[in-house]
Amino acid sequence: MAFINDHYLELKDSYLFSTIAKKINEFTSTHPDKKLIRMGIGDVTLPLVPAVLAAMHEAVEEMGQKETFKGYGPEQGYDFLHEAIQKYYASRGVNLSTDEIFISDGAKSDIGNITDIFSNANVVMIPDPVYPVYVDTNIMSGRQIEFLDSHAKNNFLPMPPSQDASPDIIYLCSPNNPTGSVYNKEQLKAWVDYANHTDAVILFDAAYECFIQDPSLPRSIFEIEGAKTCAIEFCSLSKTAGFTGTRCGYTIVPKNLLGINLETDETSLNKLWLRRQTTKFNGVPYIIQKGAAAVFSPEGQAQIQKNITYYMENAQLIASTMKEKGIEFVGGDNSPYIWLKCPNGMKSWDFFDYLLNEIAVVGTPGAGFGHNGEGYFRLTAFGSKEATLEAMERFKTLSL
Ligand SMILES: *Cc1c(COP(=O)(O)O)cnc(C)c1O
């Protein structure tokens, strides 16, 4: 008889996006004449940039020639991509060795899979509200979860807990999804010091690092002294270079980062992750890795920067409209997300219905991201300029 992993039964059904889809369907069938504007999705809309396309086309040709054909590649990625990423980090003063960089099919997979190399007895600490993957992947492995309140009182940037909490693993996401808030260097230093002091490991999700505009803000946790002995960083080309459908990310596991084993004492997490990946993963396609390397070329960087600027102009437009309407919000200055407080004390889903019915604009109810998200709402800057402008014009007509 095959027994299941009972922890899967403890997962809460994710009603968020299915409920949104249902409400949209109802609305469009009863209001066929109204043009709906979607500002809820966390997906990009601009296509891949020319440098990436050229590199992928070239790689396709190579795959069709006997002399340049590639079969299985290294599970942890090709050196040409490691070196491109190594240089990218070095440009911000972070020195990595190429075997600290692991290429993957995206940050979501790595964030979920990293739980393999840690004991299920670990206590994990997860901010609330947050990207739901951290919570669900830990429920799947039956770990005890402590939530860390992220709310207006701490500017949605929770700091290390007091003595009574003792997490072994801490998830941080900066720039944050869904709140758009970003830790500054002192705040991240406090986390790094806390983790080093308590022997905890920080899992740092930097999926939105490219959206940081303020040069004083850290884009990598490894810009903080001491991070290499306490942190793993997850990055992705999904939001930064439009790879949501193409799939490529990378994870940095420093060689100085140790975990505890009661018999052998301290063990390299880099070695464990390499073992995990070489056993359970067979690498990202050569064609995709060629495209990814082109993102880090000077042309690629200039081209993706143009797209990021486009999205950030949308974010500015949303932010200025919220200001004009006197709606409290955070985010939008260094991230593509605007996290707003629903006006007049409305609950997240009430505000969702209100926006849909009044102006046919769709956002994401904050309650879907955790307990502290109730009463909040997320708007994204990933739409087209025209649609964002139109949505904000409609917003201005609301009598709030
Ligand atoms: C989108 C997103 C990711 C994952 O992206 P992949 O497409 O799997 O690389 C990771 N973290 C956060 C916070 C995200 O919003």
Side-chain angles (χ1 to χ4, degrees), residues 42 105-109 111 131 134 173 175-177 205 207-208 235-239 243-244 247-249 337 378:
D105 62 348
K108 181 169 161 181
S109 324
I111 289 165
Y131 181 58
Y134 313 151
C173 179
N176 193 272
N177 179 8
D205 186 342
Y208 295 92
C235 265
S236 168
L237 297 181
S238 282
K239 318 296 169 29
F243 271 56
T244 48
R247 311 303 309 146
C248 193
Y337 296 127
R378 191 190 74 176

mmCIF file of all heavy atoms in Angstrom, residues 42 105-109 111 131 134 173 175-177 205 207-208 235-239 243-244 247-249 337 378, ligand 1:
data_model
loop_
_atom_site.group_PDB
_atom_site.id
_atom_site.type_symbol
_atom_site.label_atom_id
_atom_site.label_comp_id
_atom_site.label_asym_id
_atom_site.label_seq_id
_atom_site.Cartn_x
_atom_site.Cartn_y
_atom_site.Cartn_z
ATOM 1 N N GLY A 42 1.030 38.961 -11.529
ATOM 2 C CA GLY A 42 2.462 39.135 -11.273
ATOM 3 C C GLY A 42 3.254 38.582 -12.441
ATOM 4 O O GLY A 42 4.248 37.902 -12.240
ATOM 5 N N ASP A 105 15.888 26.342 -13.348
ATOM 6 C CA ASP A 105 14.769 26.716 -14.215
ATOM 7 C C ASP A 105 13.875 27.756 -13.550
ATOM 8 O O ASP A 105 12.723 27.934 -13.934
ATOM 9 C CB ASP A 105 13.962 25.475 -14.621
ATOM 10 C CG ASP A 105 13.347 24.775 -13.425
ATOM 11 O OD1 ASP A 105 13.715 25.101 -12.272
ATOM 12 O OD2 ASP A 105 12.483 23.898 -13.621
ATOM 13 N N GLY A 106 14.381 28.435 -12.538
ATOM 14 C CA GLY A 106 13.623 29.530 -11.926
ATOM 15 C C GLY A 106 13.732 29.510 -10.416
ATOM 16 O O GLY A 106 14.075 28.493 -9.805
ATOM 17 N N ALA A 107 13.420 30.650 -9.832
ATOM 18 C CA ALA A 107 13.580 30.790 -8.385
ATOM 19 C C ALA A 107 12.548 29.976 -7.608
ATOM 20 O O ALA A 107 12.832 29.467 -6.523
ATOM 21 C CB ALA A 107 13.480 32.261 -8.000
ATOM 22 N N LYS A 108 11.353 29.826 -8.168
ATOM 23 C CA LYS A 108 10.320 29.096 -7.443
ATOM 24 C C LYS A 108 10.758 27.651 -7.181
ATOM 25 O O LYS A 108 10.589 27.144 -6.067
ATOM 26 C CB LYS A 108 9.012 29.118 -8.227
ATOM 27 C CG LYS A 108 7.861 28.417 -7.549
ATOM 28 C CD LYS A 108 6.576 28.739 -8.304
ATOM 29 C CE LYS A 108 5.465 27.768 -8.029
ATOM 30 N NZ LYS A 108 4.266 28.121 -8.806
ATOM 31 N N SER A 109 11.323 26.995 -8.203
ATOM 32 C CA SER A 109 11.785 25.615 -8.017
ATOM 33 C C SER A 109 12.855 25.555 -6.930
ATOM 34 O O SER A 109 12.808 24.701 -6.047
ATOM 35 C CB SER A 109 12.387 25.043 -9.299
ATOM 36 O OG SER A 109 11.726 25.496 -10.425
ATOM 37 N N ILE A 111 13.546 27.657 -4.508
ATOM 38 C CA ILE A 111 13.019 28.015 -3.183
ATOM 39 C C ILE A 111 12.289 26.809 -2.586
ATOM 40 O O ILE A 111 12.400 26.528 -1.391
ATOM 41 C CB ILE A 111 12.082 29.245 -3.292
ATOM 42 C CG1 ILE A 111 12.906 30.502 -3.583
ATOM 43 C CG2 ILE A 111 11.254 29.423 -2.017
ATOM 44 C CD1 ILE A 111 12.076 31.696 -4.052
ATOM 45 N N TYR A 131 4.927 36.100 -0.432
ATOM 46 C CA TYR A 131 4.869 35.162 -1.558
ATOM 47 C C TYR A 131 4.511 33.774 -0.992
ATOM 48 O O TYR A 131 5.254 33.248 -0.166
ATOM 49 C CB TYR A 131 6.254 35.180 -2.195
ATOM 50 C CG TYR A 131 6.490 34.326 -3.409
ATOM 51 C CD1 TYR A 131 5.725 34.473 -4.552
ATOM 52 C CD2 TYR A 131 7.530 33.397 -3.426
ATOM 53 C CE1 TYR A 131 5.981 33.708 -5.674
ATOM 54 C CE2 TYR A 131 7.799 32.630 -4.544
ATOM 55 C CZ TYR A 131 7.024 32.779 -5.668
ATOM 56 O OH TYR A 131 7.275 32.026 -6.777
ATOM 57 N N TYR A 134 6.767 30.101 0.115
ATOM 58 C CA TYR A 134 7.571 29.789 1.314
ATOM 59 C C TYR A 134 6.740 28.987 2.306
ATOM 60 O O TYR A 134 7.223 28.022 2.899
ATOM 61 C CB TYR A 134 8.049 31.065 2.030
ATOM 62 C CG TYR A 134 8.655 32.143 1.174
ATOM 63 C CD1 TYR A 134 8.556 33.482 1.557
ATOM 64 C CD2 TYR A 134 9.343 31.845 0.002
ATOM 65 C CE1 TYR A 134 9.121 34.495 0.791
ATOM 66 C CE2 TYR A 134 9.899 32.858 -0.771
ATOM 67 C CZ TYR A 134 9.773 34.183 -0.375
ATOM 68 O OH TYR A 134 10.314 35.183 -1.136
ATOM 69 N N CYS A 173 12.265 38.533 1.638
ATOM 70 C CA CYS A 173 12.037 38.841 0.229
ATOM 71 C C CYS A 173 12.131 40.351 0.071
ATOM 72 O O CYS A 173 11.330 41.081 0.640
ATOM 73 C CB CYS A 173 10.649 38.343 -0.180
ATOM 74 S SG CYS A 173 10.196 38.685 -1.885
ATOM 75 N N PRO A 175 13.382 43.386 -3.001
ATOM 76 C CA PRO A 175 12.077 44.022 -2.898
ATOM 77 C C PRO A 175 10.982 42.980 -2.707
ATOM 78 O O PRO A 175 11.025 41.928 -3.314
ATOM 79 C CB PRO A 175 11.924 44.752 -4.227
ATOM 80 C CG PRO A 175 13.317 44.953 -4.745
ATOM 81 C CD PRO A 175 14.086 43.784 -4.249
ATOM 82 N N ASN A 176 10.010 43.355 -1.883
ATOM 83 C CA ASN A 176 9.022 42.384 -1.445
ATOM 84 C C ASN A 176 7.848 42.213 -2.401
ATOM 85 O O ASN A 176 7.326 43.162 -2.953
ATOM 86 C CB ASN A 176 8.513 42.822 -0.061
ATOM 87 C CG ASN A 176 7.725 41.739 0.626
ATOM 88 O OD1 ASN A 176 6.515 41.622 0.442
ATOM 89 N ND2 ASN A 176 8.400 40.925 1.406
ATOM 90 N N ASN A 177 7.460 40.962 -2.551
ATOM 91 C CA ASN A 177 6.187 40.625 -3.153
ATOM 92 C C ASN A 177 5.335 40.098 -2.006
ATOM 93 O O ASN A 177 5.734 39.132 -1.383
ATOM 94 C CB ASN A 177 6.375 39.534 -4.216
ATOM 95 C CG ASN A 177 5.069 39.128 -4.859
ATOM 96 O OD1 ASN A 177 4.038 39.756 -4.635
ATOM 97 N ND2 ASN A 177 5.098 38.078 -5.649
ATOM 98 N N ASP A 205 15.251 36.072 -1.031
ATOM 99 C CA ASP A 205 14.639 36.059 -2.358
ATOM 100 C C ASP A 205 14.819 37.440 -2.998
ATOM 101 O O ASP A 205 14.206 38.418 -2.565
ATOM 102 C CB ASP A 205 13.152 35.706 -2.205
ATOM 103 C CG ASP A 205 12.434 35.527 -3.538
ATOM 104 O OD1 ASP A 205 12.959 35.998 -4.570
ATOM 105 O OD2 ASP A 205 11.336 34.939 -3.539
ATOM 106 N N ALA A 207 14.287 38.160 -6.287
ATOM 107 C CA ALA A 207 13.706 38.063 -7.632
ATOM 108 C C ALA A 207 13.451 39.425 -8.290
ATOM 109 O O ALA A 207 13.377 39.519 -9.512
ATOM 110 C CB ALA A 207 12.403 37.261 -7.584
ATOM 111 N N TYR A 208 13.332 40.470 -7.461
ATOM 112 C CA TYR A 208 13.015 41.796 -8.020
ATOM 113 C C TYR A 208 14.172 42.777 -7.897
ATOM 114 O O TYR A 208 13.970 43.991 -7.966
ATOM 115 C CB TYR A 208 11.764 42.364 -7.318
ATOM 116 C CG TYR A 208 10.532 41.536 -7.590
ATOM 117 C CD1 TYR A 208 10.162 40.503 -6.738
ATOM 118 C CD2 TYR A 208 9.757 41.765 -8.727
ATOM 119 C CE1 TYR A 208 9.056 39.714 -6.997
ATOM 120 C CE2 TYR A 208 8.648 40.985 -8.989
ATOM 121 C CZ TYR A 208 8.297 39.962 -8.126
ATOM 122 O OH TYR A 208 7.208 39.182 -8.385
ATOM 123 N N CYS A 235 17.685 34.146 -7.205
ATOM 124 C CA CYS A 235 17.467 35.180 -8.208
ATOM 125 C C CYS A 235 16.798 34.566 -9.414
ATOM 126 O O CYS A 235 16.834 33.359 -9.601
ATOM 127 C CB CYS A 235 18.802 35.769 -8.642
ATOM 128 S SG CYS A 235 19.209 37.236 -7.730
ATOM 129 N N SER A 236 16.249 35.428 -10.238
ATOM 130 C CA SER A 236 15.489 34.919 -11.356
ATOM 131 C C SER A 236 15.520 35.921 -12.493
ATOM 132 O O SER A 236 15.575 37.124 -12.267
ATOM 133 C CB SER A 236 14.051 34.722 -10.886
ATOM 134 O OG SER A 236 13.217 34.505 -11.978
ATOM 135 N N LEU A 237 15.489 35.418 -13.713
ATOM 136 C CA LEU A 237 15.389 36.323 -14.862
ATOM 137 C C LEU A 237 13.926 36.548 -15.248
ATOM 138 O O LEU A 237 13.631 37.252 -16.204
ATOM 139 C CB LEU A 237 16.168 35.747 -16.045
ATOM 140 C CG LEU A 237 17.676 35.597 -15.798
ATOM 141 C CD1 LEU A 237 18.374 35.041 -17.030
ATOM 142 C CD2 LEU A 237 18.290 36.933 -15.424
ATOM 143 N N SER A 238 13.006 35.957 -14.483
ATOM 144 C CA SER A 238 11.586 36.023 -14.836
ATOM 145 C C SER A 238 11.067 37.446 -14.922
ATOM 146 O O SER A 238 10.545 37.870 -15.943
ATOM 147 C CB SER A 238 10.752 35.261 -13.813
ATOM 148 O OG SER A 238 10.851 33.884 -14.056
ATOM 149 N N LYS A 239 11.163 38.184 -13.822
ATOM 150 C CA LYS A 239 10.596 39.519 -13.783
ATOM 151 C C LYS A 239 11.584 40.525 -14.355
ATOM 152 O O LYS A 239 11.196 41.523 -14.940
ATOM 153 C CB LYS A 239 10.222 39.911 -12.351
ATOM 154 C CG LYS A 239 9.552 38.808 -11.521
ATOM 155 C CD LYS A 239 8.211 38.387 -12.067
ATOM 156 C CE LYS A 239 7.619 37.118 -11.447
ATOM 157 N NZ LYS A 239 7.908 36.733 -10.110
ATOM 158 N N PHE A 243 11.617 36.404 -18.451
ATOM 159 C CA PHE A 243 11.791 34.960 -18.621
ATOM 160 C C PHE A 243 10.702 34.127 -17.926
ATOM 161 O O PHE A 243 10.914 32.950 -17.673
ATOM 162 C CB PHE A 243 13.164 34.530 -18.071
ATOM 163 C CG PHE A 243 14.284 34.600 -19.078
ATOM 164 C CD1 PHE A 243 14.583 35.778 -19.753
ATOM 165 C CD2 PHE A 243 15.069 33.482 -19.347
ATOM 166 C CE1 PHE A 243 15.622 35.844 -20.667
ATOM 167 C CE2 PHE A 243 16.116 33.532 -20.266
ATOM 168 C CZ PHE A 243 16.399 34.709 -20.926
ATOM 169 N N THR A 244 9.539 34.716 -17.618
ATOM 170 C CA THR A 244 8.540 33.931 -16.876
ATOM 171 C C THR A 244 8.136 32.673 -17.642
ATOM 172 O O THR A 244 7.908 31.628 -17.039
ATOM 173 C CB THR A 244 7.285 34.776 -16.552
ATOM 174 O OG1 THR A 244 6.870 35.459 -17.730
ATOM 175 C CG2 THR A 244 7.566 35.805 -15.465
ATOM 176 N N ARG A 247 12.020 30.466 -18.518
ATOM 177 C CA ARG A 247 12.499 29.752 -17.336
ATOM 178 C C ARG A 247 14.012 29.734 -17.156
ATOM 179 O O ARG A 247 14.721 28.906 -17.744
ATOM 180 C CB ARG A 247 11.987 28.295 -17.308
ATOM 181 C CG ARG A 247 10.509 28.088 -17.554
ATOM 182 C CD ARG A 247 9.617 28.838 -16.599
ATOM 183 N NE ARG A 247 9.966 28.625 -15.211
ATOM 184 C CZ ARG A 247 9.847 29.571 -14.268
ATOM 185 N NH1 ARG A 247 9.368 30.760 -14.561
ATOM 186 N NH2 ARG A 247 10.198 29.307 -13.046
ATOM 187 N N CYS A 248 14.518 30.637 -16.367
ATOM 188 C CA CYS A 248 15.913 30.550 -15.916
ATOM 189 C C CYS A 248 16.094 31.404 -14.662
ATOM 190 O O CYS A 248 15.617 32.534 -14.603
ATOM 191 C CB CYS A 248 16.886 30.999 -17.002
ATOM 192 S SG CYS A 248 18.589 30.555 -16.621
ATOM 193 N N GLY A 249 16.749 30.824 -13.692
ATOM 194 C CA GLY A 249 17.072 31.543 -12.461
ATOM 195 C C GLY A 249 18.428 31.088 -11.963
ATOM 196 O O GLY A 249 19.080 30.244 -12.595
ATOM 197 N N TYR A 337 5.448 46.682 -7.555
ATOM 198 C CA TYR A 337 4.203 46.501 -6.815
ATOM 199 C C TYR A 337 3.850 47.709 -5.967
ATOM 200 O O TYR A 337 4.711 48.292 -5.314
ATOM 201 C CB TYR A 337 4.299 45.274 -5.901
ATOM 202 C CG TYR A 337 4.454 43.983 -6.666
ATOM 203 C CD1 TYR A 337 5.491 43.102 -6.385
ATOM 204 C CD2 TYR A 337 3.563 43.647 -7.682
ATOM 205 C CE1 TYR A 337 5.636 41.917 -7.108
ATOM 206 C CE2 TYR A 337 3.707 42.470 -8.405
ATOM 207 C CZ TYR A 337 4.742 41.611 -8.115
ATOM 208 O OH TYR A 337 4.882 40.452 -8.830
ATOM 209 N N ARG A 378 -3.058 44.804 -3.757
ATOM 210 C CA ARG A 378 -1.845 44.934 -4.564
ATOM 211 C C ARG A 378 -2.177 45.301 -6.005
ATOM 212 O O ARG A 378 -2.992 44.645 -6.653
ATOM 213 C CB ARG A 378 -1.053 43.614 -4.547
ATOM 214 C CG ARG A 378 0.346 43.741 -5.128
ATOM 215 C CD ARG A 378 1.012 42.382 -5.329
ATOM 216 N NE ARG A 378 0.439 41.677 -6.465
ATOM 217 C CZ ARG A 378 0.872 40.499 -6.920
ATOM 218 N NH1 ARG A 378 1.878 39.883 -6.324
ATOM 219 N NH2 ARG A 378 0.290 39.936 -7.964
HETATM 220 C C1 LIG B 1 7.862 35.587 -9.413
HETATM 221 C C2 LIG B 1 8.575 35.313 -8.137
HETATM 222 C C3 LIG B 1 9.547 34.298 -8.023
HETATM 223 C C4 LIG B 1 9.768 33.211 -9.004
HETATM 224 O O1 LIG B 1 10.049 33.273 -10.139
HETATM 225 P P1 LIG B 1 10.456 32.145 -11.157
HETATM 226 O O2 LIG B 1 9.626 32.472 -12.333
HETATM 227 O O3 LIG B 1 10.172 30.789 -10.606
HETATM 228 O O4 LIG B 1 11.908 32.348 -11.344
HETATM 229 C C5 LIG B 1 10.239 34.152 -6.845
HETATM 230 N N1 LIG B 1 9.994 34.937 -5.805
HETATM 231 C C6 LIG B 1 9.070 35.896 -5.857
HETATM 232 C C7 LIG B 1 8.864 36.728 -4.654
HETATM 233 C C8 LIG B 1 8.326 36.109 -7.009
HETATM 234 O O5 LIG B 1 7.374 37.046 -7.023
#
